[in-house]
Amino acid sequence: MQTILVTGGMGFIGSNFIRYILNLNHDFKVVNLDKLTYAGNPENLKDIEQIYPERYNFYKADINDFETVDKIINKEKIEFIINFAAESHVDRSIDNPNVVVQTNVIGTQTLLNAVRKNKIKKYIQISTDEVYGSLSLDDPPFEENNRLKPNSPYSASKASGDLLVRAYFKTFQLPVNITRCSNNYGPYQFPEKLIPLMLNNALQDKELPVYGQGINVRDWIYVTDHCSAILKVLIEGREGEIYNIGADCEYSNINLIKKLLKIINKPESLISFVKDRPGHDLRYAINYNKIRKELHWKPEVNFREGLKLTVQWYLDNKNWLNNIITKEYLTFYEKQYLNR
Ligand code: NAD
Ligand code: TYD
């Protein structure tokens, strides 16, 4: 049995990854370390805790707390670390960059110090294509050797985390990989992000706040495809390498929202064009030839199928959604909405 420390495992992608790997491969044990911020939700893994009591363990802790991280690594005999823990929302990073830098930069460095002190076989930094900045509509997609030109406090903090991972590889020869994935969608995504926010609003016949003209383009990937790519990198990734992850699926926000409305049979009149996000990146698009050729990975879920699966999951899990729509959520949402 090999033990992986997953940080940020109560969030959207981390919880999907834990579910994915425990169901798939019985040789792995997962230790989940999560601070349970507003985005960390123990409900995401309630069933997993019961199905795999021997292969799953949870600690409520902060990645900034070196002593606790170090203790858990030793107690649990951790061999691999995958860092999903982050403040992950661009709008929140604009509202308050401080906590974003604390977790995404200093938290990453704290984990790297723990990797350095202990015998860890592989550390993976879960990063994002947003570190490359923004593309024009006719630029070629991002490649791993593009310059980093982040534009939001969120993407700048993720780029800083990546640079620290690189520096610890070059200076201390730590066994690391960085993955940079495009926009994820699927079950358990917090309804502050585009797809679940629009879905949640539309189901309640509330306005859909589209920033600017809705012409911004994002490149979408179903979350389990991201998970399978991370597992590939964990097992086969060459030390020190960066791997882009994507699924050739670019949509403008407005076209995506129209597609979503069609699936749930709601009118386009719900769409409301609101003030644009400051520094709003026009387009992300990812070239993932490297992971395709080197590690023989490819995405499996097409957008039509993935969007239907996602909608069905939210329809089947209305309680999950209702439990999240708390005072904190509504306060932030209303503040955002009133400012636009
Ligand atoms: P999320 O916001 O849903 O989850 C983040 C998790 O990290 C939460 O459970 C939270 O409690 C935890 N966390 C936050 N600060 C912490 C701290 N200091 N110590 C311990 N735990 C802490 O985010 P997500 O969408 O699942 O994203 C996971 C990772 O993937 C992030 O690093 C993000 O940058 C990256 N990423 C996300 C996307 C996307 O589309 N969502 C795309 C590419 C990369
Ligand atoms: P988001 O899900 O926040 O992801 P990111 O900004 O990290 O790509 O937003 C995706 C796109 O949707 C982005 O162009 C901003 C836009 N958007 C809206 O138009 N309205 C909204 O309410 C939200 C949350 C996002």
Side-chain angles (χ1 to χ4, degrees):
M1 189 86 73
Q2 298 187 298
T3 309
I4 311 178
L5 178 66
V6 168
T7 60
M10 288 302 190
F12 164 48
I13 306 173
S15 65
N16 272 286
F17 180 78
I18 291 174
R19 183 176 298 278
Y20 174 83
I21 197 167
L22 288 178
N23 284 337
L24 186 81
N25 190 326
H26 291 259
D27 292 337
F28 283 112
K29 180 182 171 190
V30 172
V31 174
N32 178 6
L33 182 160
D34 196 299
K35 185 183 171 184
L36 299 183
T37 66
Y38 77 93
N41 185 352
E43 271 192 50
N44 294 0
L45 290 171
K46 225 175 180 174
D47 56 333
I48 289 295
E49 219 161 46
Q50 282 160 6
I51 303 170
Y52 301 113
E54 309 291 324
R55 295 173 54 220
Y56 174 76
N57 209 354
F58 171 66
Y59 292 88
K60 181 176 187 305
D62 189 328
I63 58 167
N64 288 286
D65 176 357
F66 178 82
E67 257 129 58
T68 303
V69 171
D70 187 45
K71 243 187 232 158
I72 293 170
I73 288 174
N74 283 288
K75 183 172 169 221
E76 295 280 359
K77 300 189 173 50
I78 299 295
E79 288 159 279
F80 304 100
I81 299 180
I82 309 181
N83 180 27
F84 293 88
E87 289 294 334
S88 68
H89 191 34
V90 173
D91 292 324
R92 285 189 188 248
S93 84
I94 294 167
D95 186 57
N96 176 14
N98 295 357
V99 62
V100 177
V101 170
Q102 181 66 45
T103 286
N104 299 3
V105 186
I106 309 297
T108 297
Q109 195 213 351
T110 307
L111 289 177
L112 289 167
N113 286 339
V115 174
R116 211 184 146 200
K117 177 165 178 259
N118 294 284
K119 280 206 163 45
I120 300 298
K121 289 184 183 154
K122 170 76 65 83
Y123 171 90
I124 301 187
Q125 176 72 358
I126 304 300
S127 189
T128 164
D129 60 356
E130 300 189 27
V131 298
Y132 297 118
S134 183
L135 296 169
S136 70
L137 293 179
D138 49 11
D139 278 337
F142 300 127
E143 293 179 27
E144 285 84 353
N145 57 12
N146 280 177
R147 281 176 58 192
L148 303 188
K149 293 184 192 165
N151 296 314
S152 71
Y154 164 70
S155 53
S157 71
K158 292 297 290 186
S160 308
D162 287 10
L163 293 181
L164 284 164
V165 175
R166 176 191 155 90
Y168 274 60
F169 168 69
K170 292 280 183 188
T171 310
F172 307 117
Q173 290 85 44
L174 297 192
V176 302
N177 283 123
I178 295 171
T179 60
R180 295 188 180 140
C181 190
S182 55
N183 284 58
N184 285 223
Y185 67 102
Y188 302 100
Q189 187 166 32
F190 196 86
E192 66 189 354
K193 306 283 164 48
L194 181 72
I195 291 180
L197 186 143
M198 296 299 166
L199 193 54
N200 180 43
N201 280 17
L203 290 173
Q204 298 175 60
D205 297 310
K206 273 169 70 172
E207 280 190 357
L208 311 182
V210 177
Y211 300 165
Q213 298 302 305
I215 54 166
N216 303 70
V217 173
R218 296 293 181 264
D219 194 353
W220 296 93
I221 183 171
Y222 192 66
V223 63
T224 51
D225 279 334
H226 187 185
C227 295
S228 69
I230 293 167
L231 183 57
K232 266 274 183 197
V233 172
L234 181 73
I235 296 170
E236 297 173 38
R238 282 187 298 133
E239 277 182 23
E241 292 296 313
I242 297 166
Y243 294 95
N244 281 354
I245 301 167
D248 302 309
C249 183
E250 290 184 54
Y251 279 98
S252 68
N253 294 336
I254 191 69
N255 284 346
L256 189 156
I257 291 165
K258 286 181 180 170
K259 245 180 190 314
L260 199 58
L261 287 171
K262 243 190 204 140
I263 297 178
I264 56 174
N265 202 18
K266 291 283 182 180
E268 288 184 10
S269 55
L270 288 174
I271 292 171
S272 159
F273 293 98
V274 299
K275 198 166 125 199
D276 210 352
R277 172 187 278 173
H280 197 173
D281 286 338
L282 177 64
R283 173 175 168 243
Y284 305 139
I286 200 131
N287 175 326
Y288 59 98
N289 281 340
K290 180 174 171 179
I291 189 170
R292 187 158 45 190
K293 287 192 181 141
E294 251 188 40
L295 307 186
H296 311 290
W297 172 86
K298 62 175 174 36
E300 301 286 346
V301 183
N302 72 44
F303 194 60
R304 224 180 119 82
E305 187 190 339
L307 203 55
K308 277 198 177 150
L309 286 172
T310 304
V311 168
Q312 196 54 50
W313 187 86
Y314 280 92
L315 290 174
D316 292 343
N317 290 277
K318 284 205 175 118
N319 277 344
W320 181 90
L321 209 48
N322 290 338
N323 290 341
I324 284 179
I325 311 300
T326 55
K327 212 168 154 200
E328 196 276 346
Y329 176 85
L330 289 171
T331 310
F332 183 77
Y333 178 75
E334 268 152 26
K335 186 169 138 199
Q336 284 286 306
Y337 200 58
L338 287 176
N339 282 340
R340 294 177 193 279

mmCIF file with all atom_site columns, all heavy atoms in Angstrom, residues 185-205:
data_model
loop_
_atom_site.group_PDB
_atom_site.id
_atom_site.type_symbol
_atom_site.label_atom_id
_atom_site.label_alt_id
_atom_site.label_comp_id
_atom_site.label_asym_id
_atom_site.label_entity_id
_atom_site.label_seq_id
_atom_site.pdbx_PDB_ins_code
_atom_site.Cartn_x
_atom_site.Cartn_y
_atom_site.Cartn_z
_atom_site.occupancy
_atom_site.B_iso_or_equiv
_atom_site.pdbx_formal_charge
_atom_site.auth_seq_id
_atom_site.auth_comp_id
_atom_site.auth_asym_id
_atom_site.auth_atom_id
_atom_site.pdbx_PDB_model_num
ATOM 1   N N   . TYR A 1 185 ? -14.997 21.328 -14.936 1.00 0.00 ? 185 TYR A N   1
ATOM 2   C CA  . TYR A 1 185 ? -16.418 21.348 -14.553 1.00 0.00 ? 185 TYR A CA  1
ATOM 3   C C   . TYR A 1 185 ? -16.810 19.924 -14.174 1.00 0.00 ? 185 TYR A C   1
ATOM 4   O O   . TYR A 1 185 ? -16.127 18.955 -14.539 1.00 0.00 ? 185 TYR A O   1
ATOM 5   C CB  . TYR A 1 185 ? -17.304 21.889 -15.682 1.00 0.00 ? 185 TYR A CB  1
ATOM 6   C CG  . TYR A 1 185 ? -17.360 20.983 -16.890 1.00 0.00 ? 185 TYR A CG  1
ATOM 7   C CD1 . TYR A 1 185 ? -18.469 20.165 -17.119 1.00 0.00 ? 185 TYR A CD1 1
ATOM 8   C CD2 . TYR A 1 185 ? -16.297 20.896 -17.778 1.00 0.00 ? 185 TYR A CD2 1
ATOM 9   C CE1 . TYR A 1 185 ? -18.517 19.309 -18.207 1.00 0.00 ? 185 TYR A CE1 1
ATOM 10  C CE2 . TYR A 1 185 ? -16.334 20.037 -18.856 1.00 0.00 ? 185 TYR A CE2 1
ATOM 11  C CZ  . TYR A 1 185 ? -17.439 19.248 -19.074 1.00 0.00 ? 185 TYR A CZ  1
ATOM 12  O OH  . TYR A 1 185 ? -17.480 18.393 -20.134 1.00 0.00 ? 185 TYR A OH  1
ATOM 13  N N   . GLY A 1 186 ? -17.912 19.798 -13.432 1.00 0.00 ? 186 GLY A N   1
ATOM 14  C CA  . GLY A 1 186 ? -18.362 18.476 -13.007 1.00 0.00 ? 186 GLY A CA  1
ATOM 15  C C   . GLY A 1 186 ? -18.976 18.542 -11.617 1.00 0.00 ? 186 GLY A C   1
ATOM 16  O O   . GLY A 1 186 ? -19.159 19.635 -11.064 1.00 0.00 ? 186 GLY A O   1
ATOM 17  N N   . PRO A 1 187 ? -19.294 17.370 -11.018 1.00 0.00 ? 187 PRO A N   1
ATOM 18  C CA  . PRO A 1 187 ? -19.911 17.310 -9.695  1.00 0.00 ? 187 PRO A CA  1
ATOM 19  C C   . PRO A 1 187 ? -19.045 17.943 -8.609  1.00 0.00 ? 187 PRO A C   1
ATOM 20  O O   . PRO A 1 187 ? -17.821 17.924 -8.708  1.00 0.00 ? 187 PRO A O   1
ATOM 21  C CB  . PRO A 1 187 ? -20.036 15.808 -9.435  1.00 0.00 ? 187 PRO A CB  1
ATOM 22  C CG  . PRO A 1 187 ? -19.988 15.169 -10.764 1.00 0.00 ? 187 PRO A CG  1
ATOM 23  C CD  . PRO A 1 187 ? -19.142 16.039 -11.629 1.00 0.00 ? 187 PRO A CD  1
ATOM 24  N N   . TYR A 1 188 ? -19.680 18.478 -7.589  1.00 0.00 ? 188 TYR A N   1
ATOM 25  C CA  . TYR A 1 188 ? -19.047 19.030 -6.389  1.00 0.00 ? 188 TYR A CA  1
ATOM 26  C C   . TYR A 1 188 ? -18.336 20.362 -6.620  1.00 0.00 ? 188 TYR A C   1
ATOM 27  O O   . TYR A 1 188 ? -17.554 20.782 -5.782  1.00 0.00 ? 188 TYR A O   1
ATOM 28  C CB  . TYR A 1 188 ? -18.039 18.038 -5.756  1.00 0.00 ? 188 TYR A CB  1
ATOM 29  C CG  . TYR A 1 188 ? -18.623 16.711 -5.361  1.00 0.00 ? 188 TYR A CG  1
ATOM 30  C CD1 . TYR A 1 188 ? -18.452 15.594 -6.184  1.00 0.00 ? 188 TYR A CD1 1
ATOM 31  C CD2 . TYR A 1 188 ? -19.339 16.556 -4.183  1.00 0.00 ? 188 TYR A CD2 1
ATOM 32  C CE1 . TYR A 1 188 ? -18.988 14.355 -5.826  1.00 0.00 ? 188 TYR A CE1 1
ATOM 33  C CE2 . TYR A 1 188 ? -19.877 15.328 -3.823  1.00 0.00 ? 188 TYR A CE2 1
ATOM 34  C CZ  . TYR A 1 188 ? -19.700 14.230 -4.650  1.00 0.00 ? 188 TYR A CZ  1
ATOM 35  O OH  . TYR A 1 188 ? -20.226 13.012 -4.302  1.00 0.00 ? 188 TYR A OH  1
ATOM 36  N N   . GLN A 1 189 ? -18.585 21.040 -7.740  1.00 0.00 ? 189 GLN A N   1
ATOM 37  C CA  . GLN A 1 189 ? -17.930 22.344 -7.920  1.00 0.00 ? 189 GLN A CA  1
ATOM 38  C C   . GLN A 1 189 ? -18.711 23.422 -7.178  1.00 0.00 ? 189 GLN A C   1
ATOM 39  O O   . GLN A 1 189 ? -19.937 23.505 -7.283  1.00 0.00 ? 189 GLN A O   1
ATOM 40  C CB  . GLN A 1 189 ? -17.819 22.715 -9.411  1.00 0.00 ? 189 GLN A CB  1
ATOM 41  C CG  . GLN A 1 189 ? -16.983 23.994 -9.619  1.00 0.00 ? 189 GLN A CG  1
ATOM 42  C CD  . GLN A 1 189 ? -16.558 24.220 -11.058 1.00 0.00 ? 189 GLN A CD  1
ATOM 43  O OE1 . GLN A 1 189 ? -17.274 23.854 -11.986 1.00 0.00 ? 189 GLN A OE1 1
ATOM 44  N NE2 . GLN A 1 189 ? -15.405 24.826 -11.244 1.00 0.00 ? 189 GLN A NE2 1
ATOM 45  N N   . PHE A 1 190 ? -18.006 24.241 -6.444  1.00 0.00 ? 190 PHE A N   1
ATOM 46  C CA  . PHE A 1 190 ? -18.625 25.285 -5.621  1.00 0.00 ? 190 PHE A CA  1
ATOM 47  C C   . PHE A 1 190 ? -19.354 26.285 -6.535  1.00 0.00 ? 190 PHE A C   1
ATOM 48  O O   . PHE A 1 190 ? -18.781 26.747 -7.532  1.00 0.00 ? 190 PHE A O   1
ATOM 49  C CB  . PHE A 1 190 ? -17.532 25.998 -4.809  1.00 0.00 ? 190 PHE A CB  1
ATOM 50  C CG  . PHE A 1 190 ? -18.067 26.814 -3.677  1.00 0.00 ? 190 PHE A CG  1
ATOM 51  C CD1 . PHE A 1 190 ? -18.306 26.229 -2.441  1.00 0.00 ? 190 PHE A CD1 1
ATOM 52  C CD2 . PHE A 1 190 ? -18.345 28.163 -3.835  1.00 0.00 ? 190 PHE A CD2 1
ATOM 53  C CE1 . PHE A 1 190 ? -18.804 26.987 -1.379  1.00 0.00 ? 190 PHE A CE1 1
ATOM 54  C CE2 . PHE A 1 190 ? -18.842 28.922 -2.790  1.00 0.00 ? 190 PHE A CE2 1
ATOM 55  C CZ  . PHE A 1 190 ? -19.081 28.334 -1.561  1.00 0.00 ? 190 PHE A CZ  1
ATOM 56  N N   . PRO A 1 191 ? -20.591 26.654 -6.167  1.00 0.00 ? 191 PRO A N   1
ATOM 57  C CA  . PRO A 1 191 ? -21.404 27.458 -7.098  1.00 0.00 ? 191 PRO A CA  1
ATOM 58  C C   . PRO A 1 191 ? -21.036 28.939 -7.172  1.00 0.00 ? 191 PRO A C   1
ATOM 59  O O   . PRO A 1 191 ? -21.900 29.784 -7.395  1.00 0.00 ? 191 PRO A O   1
ATOM 60  C CB  . PRO A 1 191 ? -22.827 27.274 -6.541  1.00 0.00 ? 191 PRO A CB  1
ATOM 61  C CG  . PRO A 1 191 ? -22.631 26.950 -5.110  1.00 0.00 ? 191 PRO A CG  1
ATOM 62  C CD  . PRO A 1 191 ? -21.339 26.189 -5.009  1.00 0.00 ? 191 PRO A CD  1
ATOM 63  N N   . GLU A 1 192 ? -19.729 29.229 -7.039  1.00 0.00 ? 192 GLU A N   1
ATOM 64  C CA  . GLU A 1 192 ? -19.224 30.576 -7.326  1.00 0.00 ? 192 GLU A CA  1
ATOM 65  C C   . GLU A 1 192 ? -18.600 30.581 -8.724  1.00 0.00 ? 192 GLU A C   1
ATOM 66  O O   . GLU A 1 192 ? -18.367 31.639 -9.292  1.00 0.00 ? 192 GLU A O   1
ATOM 67  C CB  . GLU A 1 192 ? -18.146 30.960 -6.298  1.00 0.00 ? 192 GLU A CB  1
ATOM 68  C CG  . GLU A 1 192 ? -16.893 30.090 -6.403  1.00 0.00 ? 192 GLU A CG  1
ATOM 69  C CD  . GLU A 1 192 ? -15.886 30.269 -5.289  1.00 0.00 ? 192 GLU A CD  1
ATOM 70  O OE1 . GLU A 1 192 ? -16.065 31.154 -4.451  1.00 0.00 ? 192 GLU A OE1 1
ATOM 71  O OE2 . GLU A 1 192 ? -14.910 29.487 -5.267  1.00 0.00 ? 192 GLU A OE2 1
ATOM 72  N N   . LYS A 1 193 ? -18.295 29.384 -9.254  1.00 0.00 ? 193 LYS A N   1
ATOM 73  C CA  . LYS A 1 193 ? -17.670 29.260 -10.572 1.00 0.00 ? 193 LYS A CA  1
ATOM 74  C C   . LYS A 1 193 ? -18.751 29.239 -11.646 1.00 0.00 ? 193 LYS A C   1
ATOM 75  O O   . LYS A 1 193 ? -19.911 28.894 -11.367 1.00 0.00 ? 193 LYS A O   1
ATOM 76  C CB  . LYS A 1 193 ? -16.817 27.984 -10.640 1.00 0.00 ? 193 LYS A CB  1
ATOM 77  C CG  . LYS A 1 193 ? -15.789 27.862 -9.524  1.00 0.00 ? 193 LYS A CG  1
ATOM 78  C CD  . LYS A 1 193 ? -14.573 28.733 -9.753  1.00 0.00 ? 193 LYS A CD  1
ATOM 79  C CE  . LYS A 1 193 ? -13.700 28.956 -8.531  1.00 0.00 ? 193 LYS A CE  1
ATOM 80  N NZ  . LYS A 1 193 ? -13.335 27.817 -7.751  1.00 0.00 ? 193 LYS A NZ  1
ATOM 81  N N   . LEU A 1 194 ? -18.370 29.562 -12.876 1.00 0.00 ? 194 LEU A N   1
ATOM 82  C CA  . LEU A 1 194 ? -19.358 29.852 -13.930 1.00 0.00 ? 194 LEU A CA  1
ATOM 83  C C   . LEU A 1 194 ? -20.480 28.815 -14.059 1.00 0.00 ? 194 LEU A C   1
ATOM 84  O O   . LEU A 1 194 ? -21.664 29.165 -13.947 1.00 0.00 ? 194 LEU A O   1
ATOM 85  C CB  . LEU A 1 194 ? -18.647 30.013 -15.283 1.00 0.00 ? 194 LEU A CB  1
ATOM 86  C CG  . LEU A 1 194 ? -19.595 30.352 -16.440 1.00 0.00 ? 194 LEU A CG  1
ATOM 87  C CD1 . LEU A 1 194 ? -20.102 31.780 -16.334 1.00 0.00 ? 194 LEU A CD1 1
ATOM 88  C CD2 . LEU A 1 194 ? -18.908 30.147 -17.793 1.00 0.00 ? 194 LEU A CD2 1
ATOM 89  N N   . ILE A 1 195 ? -20.126 27.552 -14.302 1.00 0.00 ? 195 ILE A N   1
ATOM 90  C CA  . ILE A 1 195 ? -21.174 26.572 -14.646 1.00 0.00 ? 195 ILE A CA  1
ATOM 91  C C   . ILE A 1 195 ? -22.141 26.327 -13.476 1.00 0.00 ? 195 ILE A C   1
ATOM 92  O O   . ILE A 1 195 ? -23.359 26.499 -13.631 1.00 0.00 ? 195 ILE A O   1
ATOM 93  C CB  . ILE A 1 195 ? -20.557 25.275 -15.223 1.00 0.00 ? 195 ILE A CB  1
ATOM 94  C CG1 . ILE A 1 195 ? -19.973 25.601 -16.607 1.00 0.00 ? 195 ILE A CG1 1
ATOM 95  C CG2 . ILE A 1 195 ? -21.574 24.135 -15.287 1.00 0.00 ? 195 ILE A CG2 1
ATOM 96  C CD1 . ILE A 1 195 ? -19.320 24.451 -17.335 1.00 0.00 ? 195 ILE A CD1 1
ATOM 97  N N   . PRO A 1 196 ? -21.645 25.973 -12.271 1.00 0.00 ? 196 PRO A N   1
ATOM 98  C CA  . PRO A 1 196 ? -22.625 25.743 -11.193 1.00 0.00 ? 196 PRO A CA  1
ATOM 99  C C   . PRO A 1 196 ? -23.350 27.011 -10.743 1.00 0.00 ? 196 PRO A C   1
ATOM 100 O O   . PRO A 1 196 ? -24.502 26.929 -10.313 1.00 0.00 ? 196 PRO A O   1
ATOM 101 C CB  . PRO A 1 196 ? -21.779 25.162 -10.057 1.00 0.00 ? 196 PRO A CB  1
ATOM 102 C CG  . PRO A 1 196 ? -20.377 25.490 -10.381 1.00 0.00 ? 196 PRO A CG  1
ATOM 103 C CD  . PRO A 1 196 ? -20.271 25.631 -11.856 1.00 0.00 ? 196 PRO A CD  1
ATOM 104 N N   . LEU A 1 197 ? -22.705 28.183 -10.888 1.00 0.00 ? 197 LEU A N   1
ATOM 105 C CA  . LEU A 1 197 ? -23.405 29.419 -10.508 1.00 0.00 ? 197 LEU A CA  1
ATOM 106 C C   . LEU A 1 197 ? -24.588 29.672 -11.436 1.00 0.00 ? 197 LEU A C   1
ATOM 107 O O   . LEU A 1 197 ? -25.717 29.934 -10.997 1.00 0.00 ? 197 LEU A O   1
ATOM 108 C CB  . LEU A 1 197 ? -22.441 30.613 -10.537 1.00 0.00 ? 197 LEU A CB  1
ATOM 109 C CG  . LEU A 1 197 ? -23.000 31.941 -10.015 1.00 0.00 ? 197 LEU A CG  1
ATOM 110 C CD1 . LEU A 1 197 ? -21.944 32.724 -9.259  1.00 0.00 ? 197 LEU A CD1 1
ATOM 111 C CD2 . LEU A 1 197 ? -23.580 32.824 -11.107 1.00 0.00 ? 197 LEU A CD2 1
ATOM 112 N N   . MET A 1 198 ? -24.331 29.533 -12.753 1.00 0.00 ? 198 MET A N   1
ATOM 113 C CA  . MET A 1 198 ? -25.403 29.786 -13.721 1.00 0.00 ? 198 MET A CA  1
ATOM 114 C C   . MET A 1 198 ? -26.506 28.732 -13.575 1.00 0.00 ? 198 MET A C   1
ATOM 115 O O   . MET A 1 198 ? -27.689 29.043 -13.654 1.00 0.00 ? 198 MET A O   1
ATOM 116 C CB  . MET A 1 198 ? -24.848 29.772 -15.152 1.00 0.00 ? 198 MET A CB  1
ATOM 117 C CG  . MET A 1 198 ? -23.848 30.888 -15.410 1.00 0.00 ? 198 MET A CG  1
ATOM 118 S SD  . MET A 1 198 ? -24.583 32.531 -15.195 1.00 0.00 ? 198 MET A SD  1
ATOM 119 C CE  . MET A 1 198 ? -23.131 33.574 -15.147 1.00 0.00 ? 198 MET A CE  1
ATOM 120 N N   . LEU A 1 199 ? -26.104 27.508 -13.331 1.00 0.00 ? 199 LEU A N   1
ATOM 121 C CA  . LEU A 1 199 ? -27.066 26.413 -13.167 1.00 0.00 ? 199 LEU A CA  1
ATOM 122 C C   . LEU A 1 199 ? -27.951 26.665 -11.944 1.00 0.00 ? 199 LEU A C   1
ATOM 123 O O   . LEU A 1 199 ? -29.186 26.597 -12.013 1.00 0.00 ? 199 LEU A O   1
ATOM 124 C CB  . LEU A 1 199 ? -26.267 25.120 -12.996 1.00 0.00 ? 199 LEU A CB  1
ATOM 125 C CG  . LEU A 1 199 ? -26.989 23.795 -13.115 1.00 0.00 ? 199 LEU A CG  1
ATOM 126 C CD1 . LEU A 1 199 ? -27.748 23.708 -14.408 1.00 0.00 ? 199 LEU A CD1 1
ATOM 127 C CD2 . LEU A 1 199 ? -25.942 22.670 -13.047 1.00 0.00 ? 199 LEU A CD2 1
ATOM 128 N N   . ASN A 1 200 ? -27.308 27.007 -10.838 1.00 0.00 ? 200 ASN A N   1
ATOM 129 C CA  . ASN A 1 200 ? -28.040 27.259 -9.595  1.00 0.00 ? 200 ASN A CA  1
ATOM 130 C C   . ASN A 1 200 ? -29.014 28.435 -9.768  1.00 0.00 ? 200 ASN A C   1
ATOM 131 O O   . ASN A 1 200 ? -30.183 28.353 -9.376  1.00 0.00 ? 200 ASN A O   1
ATOM 132 C CB  . ASN A 1 200 ? -27.023 27.545 -8.479  1.00 0.00 ? 200 ASN A CB  1
ATOM 133 C CG  . ASN A 1 200 ? -27.685 27.823 -7.156  1.00 0.00 ? 200 ASN A CG  1
ATOM 134 O OD1 . ASN A 1 200 ? -28.631 27.139 -6.766  1.00 0.00 ? 200 ASN A OD1 1
ATOM 135 N ND2 . ASN A 1 200 ? -27.234 28.839 -6.453  1.00 0.00 ? 200 ASN A ND2 1
ATOM 136 N N   . ASN A 1 201 ? -28.539 29.514 -10.394 1.00 0.00 ? 201 ASN A N   1
ATOM 137 C CA  . ASN A 1 201 ? -29.421 30.674 -10.594 1.00 0.00 ? 201 ASN A CA  1
ATOM 138 C C   . ASN A 1 201 ? -30.575 30.330 -11.527 1.00 0.00 ? 201 ASN A C   1
ATOM 139 O O   . ASN A 1 201 ? -31.731 30.659 -11.250 1.00 0.00 ? 201 ASN A O   1
ATOM 140 C CB  . ASN A 1 201 ? -28.630 31.846 -11.186 1.00 0.00 ? 201 ASN A CB  1
ATOM 141 C CG  . ASN A 1 201 ? -27.834 32.582 -10.122 1.00 0.00 ? 201 ASN A CG  1
ATOM 142 O OD1 . ASN A 1 201 ? -27.620 32.056 -9.032  1.00 0.00 ? 201 ASN A OD1 1
ATOM 143 N ND2 . ASN A 1 201 ? -27.386 33.784 -10.430 1.00 0.00 ? 201 ASN A ND2 1
ATOM 144 N N   . ALA A 1 202 ? -30.255 29.661 -12.625 1.00 0.00 ? 202 ALA A N   1
ATOM 145 C CA  . ALA A 1 202 ? -31.299 29.367 -13.617 1.00 0.00 ? 202 ALA A CA  1
ATOM 146 C C   . ALA A 1 202 ? -32.372 28.443 -13.022 1.00 0.00 ? 202 ALA A C   1
ATOM 147 O O   . ALA A 1 202 ? -33.569 28.644 -13.277 1.00 0.00 ? 202 ALA A O   1
ATOM 148 C CB  . ALA A 1 202 ? -30.676 28.716 -14.854 1.00 0.00 ? 202 ALA A CB  1
ATOM 149 N N   . LEU A 1 203 ? -31.945 27.496 -12.204 1.00 0.00 ? 203 LEU A N   1
ATOM 150 C CA  . LEU A 1 203 ? -32.930 26.580 -11.599 1.00 0.00 ? 203 LEU A CA  1
ATOM 151 C C   . LEU A 1 203 ? -33.893 27.335 -10.684 1.00 0.00 ? 203 LEU A C   1
ATOM 152 O O   . LEU A 1 203 ? -35.032 26.921 -10.487 1.00 0.00 ? 203 LEU A O   1
ATOM 153 C CB  . LEU A 1 203 ? -32.218 25.463 -10.820 1.00 0.00 ? 203 LEU A CB  1
ATOM 154 C CG  . LEU A 1 203 ? -31.466 24.443 -11.685 1.00 0.00 ? 203 LEU A CG  1
ATOM 155 C CD1 . LEU A 1 203 ? -30.664 23.473 -10.821 1.00 0.00 ? 203 LEU A CD1 1
ATOM 156 C CD2 . LEU A 1 203 ? -32.409 23.669 -12.605 1.00 0.00 ? 203 LEU A CD2 1
ATOM 157 N N   . GLN A 1 204 ? -33.411 28.482 -10.162 1.00 0.00 ? 204 GLN A N   1
ATOM 158 C CA  . GLN A 1 204 ? -34.292 29.296 -9.302  1.00 0.00 ? 204 GLN A CA  1
ATOM 159 C C   . GLN A 1 204 ? -34.903 30.480 -10.058 1.00 0.00 ? 204 GLN A C   1
ATOM 160 O O   . GLN A 1 204 ? -35.432 31.396 -9.441  1.00 0.00 ? 204 GLN A O   1
ATOM 161 C CB  . GLN A 1 204 ? -33.485 29.854 -8.130  1.00 0.00 ? 204 GLN A CB  1
ATOM 162 C CG  . GLN A 1 204 ? -32.892 28.805 -7.231  1.00 0.00 ? 204 GLN A CG  1
ATOM 163 C CD  . GLN A 1 204 ? -32.009 29.465 -6.171  1.00 0.00 ? 204 GLN A CD  1
ATOM 164 O OE1 . GLN A 1 204 ? -32.480 30.271 -5.383  1.00 0.00 ? 204 GLN A OE1 1
ATOM 165 N NE2 . GLN A 1 204 ? -30.738 29.154 -6.202  1.00 0.00 ? 204 GLN A NE2 1
ATOM 166 N N   . ASP A 1 205 ? -34.773 30.465 -11.394 1.00 0.00 ? 205 ASP A N   1
ATOM 167 C CA  . ASP A 1 205 ? -35.257 31.555 -12.247 1.00 0.00 ? 205 ASP A CA  1
ATOM 168 C C   . ASP A 1 205 ? -34.669 32.907 -11.839 1.00 0.00 ? 205 ASP A C   1
ATOM 169 O O   . ASP A 1 205 ? -35.328 33.945 -11.957 1.00 0.00 ? 205 ASP A O   1
ATOM 170 C CB  . ASP A 1 205 ? -36.791 31.607 -12.237 1.00 0.00 ? 205 ASP A CB  1
ATOM 171 C CG  . ASP A 1 205 ? -37.372 30.328 -12.819 1.00 0.00 ? 205 ASP A CG  1
ATOM 172 O OD1 . ASP A 1 205 ? -36.941 29.936 -13.921 1.00 0.00 ? 205 ASP A OD1 1
ATOM 173 O OD2 . ASP A 1 205 ? -38.223 29.698 -12.143 1.00 0.00 ? 205 ASP A OD2 1
#
